[in-house]
Amino acid sequence: MYNTGDFARLRERVVESLEREGYLKNKLVKKALLSVPRELFVPEKYREYAYVDSPLPIGYGQTISAIHMVAIMTEALDPLPGMRVLEIGTGSGYQAAVLAEIVAKEDPSLKGHVYTVERIPELAEFARRNIERAGYRNYITVVVGDGSKGLPEYAPYDRIIVTAAAPSVPKPLIDQLKPGGKLVIPVGDLYIQRLLILEKKHDGELSFKWGIDCVFVPLIGEYGWKES
Ligand code: SAM
């Protein structure tokens, strides 16, 4: 059985190796990955694998993403203290906690916040429990719903991250992004996608940049894939 100290050492080791492999350059992202106890976001039976850098099952056919994918997406998103961030696809709540560590916990006086939407109510509940145990309750709001429509009630957002595979960029997400904001989303078919990094310039113009290939579970909803 691992104890808290063992997990901290495993966490340091995986962060060092991500840095060595060139996945991790941003100091805030590194600090967040070193701070968030990933072992509290995986189901009990997989706890000993919490720092193996691969996706793990979280039930309902869904997964918590591999650690390098969280690092790559968070770096591409470039969150800063004080920002309002929207995540679509809460899953375990781990990515939301990494974001909250940067935008809210780093300097709570700046009042940054993470809003995260999950379509499966049981997973939203799992994430809420994990977030509470890990000490991020005040910084993250978990909402059950179809995140392909965004979350208009708290819009606009400085940053939007989608952690499920979309056939194209949902228009409501672009509408809910602030001028100067960034959106990171895996776009492609059901088998393979590529990360898309979209920026809304201050004059409202959009610019697009492609990142690495990736494989995510589908974004199911009005502006995503239809449920089969
Ligand atoms: N970010 C998560 C984490 O840190 O554990 C992993 C996300 S998992 C790869 C993708 C999640 O997106 C699943 O939990 C799935 O139920 C959810 N999802 C799929 N379509 C969705 C939608 N339209 N709105 C909200 N969540 C959705």
Side-chain angles (χ1 to χ4, degrees):
M1 266 317 258
Y2 288 108
N3 62 38
T4 313
D6 297 330
F7 281 125
R9 272 187 293 282
L10 290 171
R11 191 151 61 237
E12 276 166 30
R13 214 185 293 165
V14 76
V15 167
E16 271 166 24
S17 98
L18 290 176
E19 216 175 6
R20 226 182 7 254
E21 288 158 20
Y23 289 127
L24 204 48
K25 300 184 190 84
N26 179 317
K27 296 265 174 305
L28 288 173
V29 179
K30 177 180 173 184
K31 187 163 172 246
L33 291 178
L34 282 172
S35 304
V36 181
R38 186 175 160 96
E39 68 274 14
L40 299 184
F41 292 85
V42 301
E44 188 73 44
K45 63 179 167 186
Y46 298 122
R47 202 136 287 172
E48 63 184 297
Y49 305 114
Y51 294 97
V52 175
D53 188 12
S54 77
L56 289 171
I58 54 173
Y60 308 92
Q62 309 302 320
T63 52
I64 174 174
S65 304
I67 309 175
H68 72 273
M69 191 50 70
V70 174
I72 289 170
M73 291 182 82
T74 312
E75 290 226 3
L77 195 69
D78 191 23
L80 295 169
M83 284 186 166
R84 292 163 65 83
V85 180
L86 173 65
E87 181 198 24
I88 310 304
T90 314
S92 67
Y94 176 70
Q95 172 75 73
V98 168
L99 292 166
E101 182 66 39
I102 298 171
V103 303
K105 211 170 175 187
E106 178 74 22
D107 184 351
S109 72
L110 296 176
K111 306 241 180 293
H113 199 83
V114 177
Y115 299 88
T116 180
V117 186
E118 173 54 55
R119 65 180 279 271
I120 301 174
E122 292 84 352
L123 279 182
E125 206 35 56
F126 172 63
R128 281 193 194 105
R129 274 200 308 276
N130 300 340
I131 286 166
E132 163 97 44
R133 271 188 315 178
Y136 293 94
R137 194 186 61 181
N138 294 339
Y139 310 124
I140 301 173
T141 303
V142 181
V143 176
V144 176
D146 175 7
S148 75
K149 297 192 276 192
L151 188 61
E153 46 276 49
Y154 299 107
Y157 304 97
D158 298 288
R159 299 287 187 262
I160 301 179
I161 180 170
V162 182
T163 58
S168 58
V169 184
K171 181 168 182 311
L173 300 187
I174 298 177
D175 295 341
Q176 291 168 33
L177 191 61
K178 280 188 195 171
K182 275 190 189 169
L183 164 66
V184 175
I185 179 170
V187 174
D189 60 30
L190 286 168
Y191 307 101
I192 187 152
Q193 307 88 37
R194 189 164 277 186
L195 276 190
L196 180 66
I197 300 117
L198 179 151
E199 255 186 275
K200 189 189 257 187
K201 306 258 173 67
H202 286 280
D203 62 4
E205 198 191 314
L206 303 177
S207 77
F208 301 85
K209 204 170 76 189
W210 288 103
I212 60 155
D213 286 347
C214 50
V215 179
F216 275 85
V217 294
L219 178 77
I220 296 172
E222 191 175 331
Y223 293 84
W225 298 96
K226 303 291 162 256
E227 201 160 5
S228 53

